[in-house]
Each structure stands twice: as structure tokens, then as C-alpha cells.
Amino acid sequence: MIVRLLLPVFLLVGAATVQGVDFTPVLSVKKLEKFNVPVLTFAAGDQRISYKPPMKWHSAGTPEVLTLTPAELRGASMKFATMRWSTEEAAKLAKPESEQNWALEFLPKGASEVALGGTNESPYMLGPNASREWIFKYRLDGILYAMSISRCDISPTERIVVLINSAAKDFDNFRQDGIASLFSWEWL
Amino acid sequence: MKTGISRTIRGGSLIIVMFTVMVCAALLGVVFTLTTNNARLTRRTVDRTVAIAYADAVLESLFDQWRNAMITTTNSTDRQSGLTTTALAAITAPSTSQLPRPSGLTLVTGKVFAANPLLNKMPNASDRPLPENGTTSRARVRLYYTGEAVVRYPGPNGYNQATVQRTFVRAGRNIFDNFFFGTQPETEFHPGAPMYVDGTVYAGGNLNTAHDYLVFLKDVSFLGRHSLDYRTNDPRRGDDPTIDNNGLADNWNPNNPPRAGVEQKLFDTPRSSLDQNYLDDPTSNDNDSNGNQNDNGYHEIIEEKGAGSDPLQIDSSTSERFSENADYRIYVSGSNGVSIFKGSSTTALSTSNPEYTAIRAAITTDRAIKDIREGDNVRVAVLDVAKIKTGYDTNKIKDSVGNDGIVLYFKDTSYGTSVSTEVVNSSTGASTAVTSSRSRGLKLINGAALPSAGLTVASANPVYVQGDYNSGKTSSQQPPSNTATSYTPPHDTPSPVVSGYNRAPAAILADSVNILSNSWNDANSLLGQSSRTATSTTVNAAIVAGSVPTTSTSYSGGVENFVRFHENWGGDYLTIYGALAQLFASQQATRPWINADYSPPNRRWYYDTLLQDNNPPGFHAARVYGRGLWSVK
């Protein structure tokens, strides 16, 4: 249900630029000593990005959105989306409240009892690029959920949005796994 | 005539018969005497043999009781110098129900006496054994006792006595007797770059090796089995282990391959007193099974004591916890407050105390490193070891516990919480704000020269060692191990210290130990591996740390990653002179090795023979108990 609710949002804001990240995943391996570590790679203009998702998470992607779902946690997901971005857009969201409201837009329609759980400066970085994260709790269809919404501007014209979403009771460990995986992001 | 002749013949026959009878009687008498004597001698020999065998069994009981008394005494002097003969008077010979006594035997005494190194009983019952100081090592002192059982058995004039004696020995065992000591069920060596191990290796479980790159130059032993393959669970098991070129001759001397060894004991805390959940292979069951938070595996040595019984508390003044053996305990709070306690004091040093100011001046809080393996920005406190040395040299930082060098215990108490912190570029001073989701650590910098008495740093958190440690490196001088261009042991053995520098006894104990090269800059941790280029680095220290065991989804990283890496080492060297002890599974730095991002160094790892005679500060000798000479009087 969450996926269905979020999809229009991505379609609304998530049109990738031609030179931006193409989240269509390509299975690859990375050498670590003599070990082959499975990773995903994405095209990013004339570069490639290597990313290692958490163990036992399934991945499916389009150029705009990559969705990761853990095998052992029903209804939970982690999504990456790429958005066109500009200094004008950034200027509109210069105030913290404005940016928080921007983040709120990613909550599913029908979410109620929305509460801000916290804001974190750069819990991860994509290369040298800083990020900001908002954590919301909300209720939907009687179930308490939590969602991490974070953004990282990887260039003046491209913003990566990462959404980590699960039932509130599973959220802390699930978010930790998702955030930790972002540390593997590397431009090749 | 005829009759006379017959009478003469009959008389001769009688004489012959009588003579024969006499001879037979004499022979019978001899045989009877011989048989009787022989039976008596045999009986006596059998009695004596039985008596000796019984006395021997009594000695076994005395040995068990003596060892138990030596281990369990809570008096620190008794533990250090041994029990007196008087103190051992409580040792009793086994009862007849415990050890049935053969008929006819009487146990006269069964005692244990303190003895001297010549194995003579000490003159007074109140004497302790005279220690044998055969070496300069504090760790290797031996104490001797004589166990004695006197047994009476039947003899020709009533009873005979057999006095059977056996020497009981308590020997000191240096924790760092090997280059590598592992207590975990599985030990793996599968390096992806040349790795030379010039020191003995002891695996307290199974040993798994399978690569050309691995070269053992000294004895290798294991308790379980040796597998020329990846371990069970490793997804690569059964794949082609790369033993090519010269085959196993690349890995070790064909005349001295890894062999089954005997169990080695490093701690006085017996394994049996620890929660077994923490001693087995999987970490999935690492939870407290008995409600005692003080017995959760050997990780306890870097943790603080909680409420309840403590198996690491050997006696009232001896603990195997480094928080208990520290000269100073340093705590950092979530808000970066620093509290310092001296020795066992429960009152923090005041901020105006010279010892506080000297240590505080060496600590920079609220710095961060992006640790890709851990998937977190690790907030670290930075300890400038050069300033600790200055404080020690100027008598502001004092060896107040143990008189064996400086022991610092560090703990950031905010592990597991989310905090704001910053990554600082050590070249430009520029900072980048980041969030540390849960991870905390201690980073050691400027550790090229240590306090001459030695330095042990212990932490419940991960430790990051940046640059040369205990090598004497200066801005103008590198140890030859950092500059060698031809470096193939055993032919090439460049010195790990600069000329004129004497290695100090040194140890680092932590949840995990990470090595950052001389080229490390925290700011580069935010960049890709190509921006994190290492240069050759030398670490001269004994290291005790944990690992993340192999599972079906990730290799542990093996002993080659016992110290963890974060840079592209290319062809550069990491030299270690010291010893490694892998005793537990990490409890804070728990993310599997498969998440790491580095290119391995060429490993040149040596056992530091100085450790034979100099335990680093804070380490006690482990005591081993054995039986020695046996005699009968």
C-alpha cells in the first residue's frame, strides 16, 4: 500500500535528468582482497556508481526510482529517487520549516497523527555531499508507521531522495540497516 | 660265602636308599625354603606395588585439592606468592569411599608442603614456596610444592612403609607467548595480498588456511582440525582454494606444517566460569543466559564490572578487567563531557587537578570518521599519545596501579545513541557536520614514542590507531620497516624502530582495532578509496580485539583483517611487531567484513620477542598447574 501511495509522488517530482543517476540496477561485483562482493551499479552520466544494498534485500529499479525490500520484513521498503534540482528550488526551501514541509510531502496520503521524530544532519554522505534527514511517525489504516526522508544534493542540478519506511516497531533497526548501506555509495 | 655276599649287597643298598632319601629331603627342604622365601618376597613386592599405586592415587587427589586451593584463594599475597604449608593443612587425603583402600594398607599421611626450587621442603610450615626466577620475566616465575603420601603395608616384621612424593608446579604463563592466539572456535587465514607471519600461531579451535599469499615462518598449532579450505558456513567453501605455484610449500616449511597442539591457557578466569553463549561460534545467540552481566565472554576484559559476581575478579586485589587495572579511567559523555578517575577511585579528578589537566590536554572530543564498514560516522575522542608521554615524563601522569607502566581505560558512554559531530580535515581545519547514528570510538594519534615504562590503552569502544605506533618515527626519521624496498621475510628484516628508540611494552585492547596509515586524514574518509591512499606504517604493540565471525553471507575477514583497514594500501607495507589475541566477537563494531572498503597492505607481521619478558602494563601472568618429578622412598 505504501508503495502505491508513494508512486504518484515520485512520478510528480522524480523525473531524472539525462545526465543524472539512472537507478536501473546492474548486478556487479567488487573485489575485496580475493572475495567478490555483490554490488549494484548505476549509470550516472559518464560515470558509474557502486552501491551495496543490505544483505537479503531485493532490488528493483527504473531510471527514476530504486526500490529495496527486505526479505524478512513485510511492508518495509527503502527507495531512492532522483530529482531535477536547482538553486532556485533550494532557495525556496532555505528556511528549515520550509524544507521540513517539503519532506512532509513524501508521506503517504491519508497519513494521520504525523509527528516529527527527529532531524539529522548528514547521517550519511554521498561522496562529499551532505545530507539531511527527517524522521516522521504517522498512522495509516490504524497502523503506526515511521519514515525516514532524506535528501542529498549530489550536484547543483540533481537531488537524491531516500525514503526508508516500515512499521514503527521495526523502524530503528530497519532504518539503521538502510542508512548504513548508503555508506557503500561510491562513484567509480 | 653266598649268604655273606648277599648281606653286604643289602647293606649297601640301604645306604644308597637312605642317602637318596636324605638328598630328596634336603632338596625338598631347599625347594620349600626357596618357595616360601619367594612367596614372601613376591607377597612383599605385590604389597609394595599396591601401596605405591594407592599412594599415587592419593597424590592425584592432593594435586587436585592443591590446585583448587591455589586457584580459589582470595588472599592476594597467597595468590601472588603461593600458599604456606600451614595454609594447605586443610588438604586431606581422600576418604575410603572416595578412594577405596586395598586391604592391609594404612595411609599414614597425605600432605602438601611448600618447597624451594631444589624441591626441598621449606623448613617452616609458615614458609611460602621460594620462587624460581629463572628469567627476568615477571610472568614466568615458578613455585614448587611437594605432595607426599606415606602408606604402610604388611612386612616380615609387622609393617613396611612407602613414601611417595611428587612435585607440584605453578608456572607463570605470558599471555603473549604466541604471535597469534585465538580462543574462538574458528580461525581463518585467507589473505588477498602477501602476508608473512613470523611468530607462532595458536588456534584454540579449527584452523582454515588456503592461499599462496600466506606464509607461516614459525610453528602453527590448533586444537580442532586443520582445513585447507574455507571454513564451514563460508560461501566459498569447496571452491578452488588458491594453492598454486609451489603448493603448500608456499605456506609453510614442509617439514613443519601446522600440527595439532595442546591447549594453551592465557587467563586465570576459566572458560567454564563464562557464559557459554559468548564462547561459541555464532553471535546470534550472544545473549545473557544466566542474568550475570559480568561473565559474557572474554569481551569482559574491556568492560566494566556490573552488579553481581564477577568471574574476572580473581581475588580481592586482582582482576582481569582493564577498567580495574587502569591508572586512569576516562569517560566521555554524549555531550562530550570528560570525566577522569584515578585508579579505583569513585570520585572524578577535579578539573584543576594537574593529572586531570595533563590527560585532558591530550584529548580532543567530538571528531568523526566515516567508517564505511560500520556504515556510520564514528564519533571519536582523539588521544594525543605524545602528550600522554610528556605528562608521564614530567611526572604529572603517574603509574599509580601495579607499578608496571601506564594503563588508560577509555569509554564513550553514549554508544548506541545518535549525536551530532564533525569530520575535521587535519590539513586545513575545515569541518563537515555529520550525524553519528550509534558508533563511538577512540583514535590514537602521535603514538610513535610511548612512555618508557610502557602504555596499555583499553577501551570498550573500537580504537583507531593513526600512524606509526611505538616505532620512534619522527618528522625526519622513519623506521626502516617503512622505507624498505626489498621486504621479504625471513631474508629481509628491516628494523621496526628508528635508530636509538627502544620499544616500550605496549598493548591496545578494544572492541575492534583499526589501523590508519601515516597518510590518514579524517576528511579523506568522506571520499572514495582512491582518495584514501595509505603509506607504509609500523605498529609495535600487542593487540587484543574482536572479530565478526563468518556467516553464510559474509567472511569474517580472517586473521589478516584482525586489525581493520580503511585505505588503499596498494603495495605498501603494514609492519606489526607484537602479538595478536583474538578472544571474542566484537559487540560494538559488528558490521560484517563484506561491507569494508579497502585494498590490503602487504602484511609483515612479527612476534615481538620482547614480550617474552615484558608483559605490557596491566597484564597479569596466567597461572598453569602441573605435576613434576615423582619418587619413592
Side-chain angles (χ1 to χ4, degrees):
Chain A
M1 174 181 278
I2 300 300
V3 174
R4 185 177 58 80
L5 288 169
L6 287 175
L7 200 53
V9 178
F10 285 119
L11 293 177
L12 186 67
V13 298
T17 59
V18 173
Q19 293 299 311
V21 178
D22 178 346
F23 276 119
T24 306
V26 177
L27 291 174
S28 185
V29 293
K30 171 183 165 181
K31 280 278 182 191
L32 185 59
E33 301 245 354
K34 282 194 162 185
F35 197 90
N36 290 328
V37 180
V39 295
L40 301 180
T41 60
F42 315 114
D46 55 359
Q47 287 187 290
R48 292 195 72 76
I49 293 164
S50 169
Y51 165 74
K52 183 182 171 305
M55 283 299 192
K56 298 181 180 176
W57 287 25
H58 303 301
S59 60
T62 66
E64 294 81 21
V65 180
L66 175 74
T67 302
L68 300 164
T69 51
E72 296 163 352
L73 206 58
R74 200 172 167 198
S77 69
M78 177 175 178
K79 293 174 181 293
F80 297 65
T82 173
M83 299 171 60
R84 277 205 183 94
W85 201 242
S86 66
T87 50
E88 293 76 21
E89 293 280 349
K92 288 180 197 170
L93 303 178
K95 291 181 180 175
E97 315 87 77
S98 306
E99 201 168 26
Q100 183 176 314
N101 289 333
W102 169 86
L104 275 168
E105 294 294 318
F106 289 91
L107 292 182
K109 287 176 183 170
S112 62
E113 301 176 31
V114 175
L116 178 66
T119 308
N120 294 315
E121 289 300 318
S122 288
Y124 63 89
M125 296 176 76
L126 301 181
N129 306 299
S131 66
R132 179 173 290 169
E133 178 192 34
W134 296 264
I135 297 173
F136 295 104
K137 286 191 176 175
Y138 61 94
R139 192 173 294 280
L140 187 69
D141 297 335
I143 299 172
L144 192 61
Y145 289 95
M147 180 182 273
S148 155
I149 299 157
S150 59
R151 54 85 173 149
C152 180
D153 297 340
I154 60 171
S155 77
T157 59
E158 186 173 12
R159 166 167 285 196
I160 302 294
V161 178
V162 179
L163 308 177
I164 304 174
N165 185 214
S166 76
K169 64 181 173 59
D170 304 318
F171 181 72
D172 287 345
N173 289 337
F174 181 61
R175 170 192 168 274
Q176 183 172 307
D177 288 347
I179 294 287
S181 74
L182 290 164
F183 280 69
S184 68
W185 179 288
E186 184 173 11
W187 270 277
L188 303 174
Chain B
M1 276 303 278
K2 191 174 179 182
T3 306
I5 291 168
S6 298
R7 203 162 33 236
T8 302
I9 291 170
R10 282 197 296 271
S13 298
L14 182 62
I15 288 168
I16 290 169
V17 167
M18 288 176 67
F19 177 76
T20 303
V21 168
M22 285 174 67
V23 168
C24 286
L27 282 173
L28 276 172
V30 168
V31 168
F32 177 77
T33 304
L34 282 175
T35 304
T36 304
N37 284 343
N38 201 34
R40 196 180 300 131
L41 286 171
T42 302
R43 179 72 249 166
R44 204 179 300 163
T45 302
V46 168
D47 287 345
R48 182 175 164 79
T49 302
V50 171
I52 290 170
Y54 174 69
D56 216 14
V58 171
L59 285 177
E60 278 300 293
S61 171
L62 298 181
F63 176 78
D64 280 345
Q65 293 181 69
W66 165 78
R67 180 172 55 182
N68 193 47
M70 294 285 281
I71 290 172
T72 57
T73 180
T74 55
N75 178 292
S76 59
T77 307
D78 287 343
R79 281 194 58 76
Q80 188 64 35
S81 304
L83 293 163
T84 64
T85 300
T86 303
L88 292 169
I91 291 179
T92 56
S95 67
T96 51
S97 62
Q98 292 169 319
L99 179 67
R101 190 180 307 155
S103 63
L105 298 189
T106 306
L107 178 64
V108 180
T109 59
K111 287 185 178 176
V112 179
F113 302 87
N116 66 20
L118 297 176
L119 308 182
N120 297 318
K121 295 175 188 172
M122 297 300 291
N124 303 306
S126 58
D127 290 338
R128 297 180 190 282
L130 195 63
E132 180 186 70
N133 291 302
T135 74
T136 56
S137 170
R138 289 179 295 113
R140 294 179 180 280
V141 173
R142 288 171 178 259
L143 299 178
Y144 294 96
Y145 287 82
T146 298
E148 184 177 276
V150 179
V151 177
R152 192 175 289 164
Y153 60 94
N157 301 316
Y159 288 97
N160 280 341
Q161 236 176 230
T163 301
V164 182
Q165 292 184 330
R166 184 137 207 197
T167 302
F168 300 162
V169 189
R170 190 194 81 182
R173 188 76 196 261
N174 193 329
I175 179 177
F176 298 117
D177 256 2
N178 306 279
F179 173 75
F180 176 81
F181 178 89
T183 60
Q184 292 179 296
E186 300 283 347
T187 297
E188 300 145 285
F189 285 86
H190 303 299
M195 176 178 183
Y196 288 80
V197 181
D198 195 351
T200 59
V201 169
Y202 168 82
N206 297 324
L207 175 68
N208 305 274
T209 64
H211 286 282
D212 288 335
Y213 285 144
L214 175 62
V215 183
F216 289 132
L217 294 168
K218 294 286 193 305
D219 194 53
V220 178
S221 64
F222 52 88
L223 283 189
R225 56 164 177 72
H226 179 206
S227 173
L228 295 173
D229 201 341
Y230 304 101
R231 58 159 284 185
T232 52
N233 276 3
D234 190 314
R236 299 168 296 173
R237 182 171 174 80
D239 288 357
D240 173 31
T242 48
I243 306 172
D244 303 320
N245 301 332
N246 296 319
L248 293 177
D250 285 334
N251 290 163
W252 46 73
N253 180 341
N255 296 320
N256 187 27
R259 59 177 176 77
V262 295
E263 184 171 9
Q264 296 188 23
K265 179 176 172 289
L266 287 182
F267 292 99
D268 279 342
T269 304
R271 285 175 69 88
S272 57
S273 67
L274 298 173
D275 191 330
Q276 300 301 301
N277 277 3
Y278 293 86
L279 300 178
D280 60 4
D281 186 44
T283 55
S284 56
N285 69 344
D286 283 4
N287 47 51
D288 192 347
S289 69
N290 57 16
N292 183 353
Q293 296 190 347
N294 292 322
D295 67 353
N296 296 339
Y298 285 118
H299 197 273
E300 292 288 351
I301 65 172
I302 55 170
E303 293 179 8
E304 293 179 283
K305 178 183 176 182
S309 64
D310 179 12
L312 277 75
Q313 188 72 42
I314 307 302
D315 60 49
S316 57
S317 63
T318 309
S319 172
E320 295 193 302
R321 288 177 193 278
F322 277 78
S323 58
E324 303 279 320
N325 297 332
D327 295 292
Y328 299 95
R329 288 171 288 129
I330 304 164
Y331 299 92
V332 174
S333 69
S335 57
N336 291 300
V338 177
S339 305
I340 301 172
F341 295 77
K342 184 174 182 180
S344 59
S345 174
T346 54
T347 305
L349 293 173
S350 79
T351 54
S352 59
N353 183 299
E355 292 169 79
Y356 178 93
T357 53
I359 295 172
R360 185 67 185 85
I363 299 170
T364 304
T365 58
D366 203 18
R367 293 290 184 264
I369 294 169
K370 176 183 175 182
D371 186 326
I372 294 173
R373 171 169 171 172
E374 286 309 309
D376 199 5
N377 300 304
V378 181
R379 189 184 80 174
V380 294
V382 181
L383 181 70
D384 188 329
V385 176
K387 291 181 179 173
I388 295 294
K389 175 174 165 51
T390 300
Y392 176 78
D393 291 345
T394 55
N395 205 31
K396 290 176 182 162
I397 296 174
K398 297 168 184 171
D399 177 8
S400 58
V401 177
N403 192 29
D404 59 351
I406 299 296
V407 178
L408 300 178
Y409 180 77
F410 173 88
K411 184 176 184 181
D412 188 324
T413 57
S414 66
Y415 165 75
T417 63
S418 179
V419 294
S420 298
T421 180
E422 58 185 10
V423 176
V424 175
N425 187 315
S426 56
S427 298
T428 66
S431 65
T432 303
V434 295
T435 295
S436 173
S437 294
R438 66 187 185 288
S439 308
R440 306 292 177 269
L442 173 69
K443 189 171 78 160
L444 306 178
I445 64 169
N446 298 327
L450 302 185
S452 56
L455 177 66
T456 290
V457 178
S459 177
N461 308 114
V463 165
Y464 298 78
V465 183
Q466 179 177 331
D468 271 29
Y469 197 79
N470 199 21
S471 73
K473 176 180 174 290
T474 65
S475 57
S476 58
Q477 264 192 303
Q478 295 258 6
S481 51
N482 284 357
T483 56
T485 52
S486 177
Y487 196 170
T488 306
H491 313 294
D492 307 314
T493 53
S495 171
V497 294
V498 299
S499 177
Y501 179 77
N502 294 318
R503 291 195 297 281
I508 301 164
L509 302 88
D511 185 68
S512 68
V513 173
N514 301 261
I515 302 295
L516 309 172
S517 80
N518 284 314
S519 296
W520 179 263
N521 182 336
D522 289 348
N524 291 343
S525 70
L526 300 175
L527 306 176
Q529 193 186 125
S530 60
S531 300
R532 305 193 308 274
T533 306
T535 52
S536 292
T537 298
T538 299
V539 174
N540 299 319
I543 298 172
V544 179
S547 66
V548 180
T550 294
T551 65
S552 60
T553 53
S554 178
Y555 173 48
S556 68
V559 176
E560 62 272 22
N561 287 289
F562 172 75
V563 290
R564 304 180 188 184
F565 303 108
H566 303 269
E567 296 165 272
N568 181 352
W569 286 77
D572 284 335
Y573 297 104
L574 171 64
T575 301
I576 295 177
Y577 265 74
L580 312 179
Q582 183 170 294
L583 307 181
F584 47 79
S586 299
Q587 294 187 12
Q588 293 191 12
T590 56
R591 208 145 175 265
W593 167 83
I594 198 171
N595 296 295
D597 185 48
Y598 68 94
S599 180
N602 282 319
R603 299 168 176 100
R604 302 292 185 264
W605 294 359
Y606 300 82
Y607 178 63
D608 188 344
T609 52
L610 295 180
L611 290 168
Q612 285 279 310
D613 290 337
N614 280 301
N615 260 343
F619 285 91
H620 300 285
R623 279 80 186 246
V624 291
Y625 298 86
R627 303 167 189 79
L629 291 173
W630 182 90
S631 64
V632 182
K633 293 176 185 172

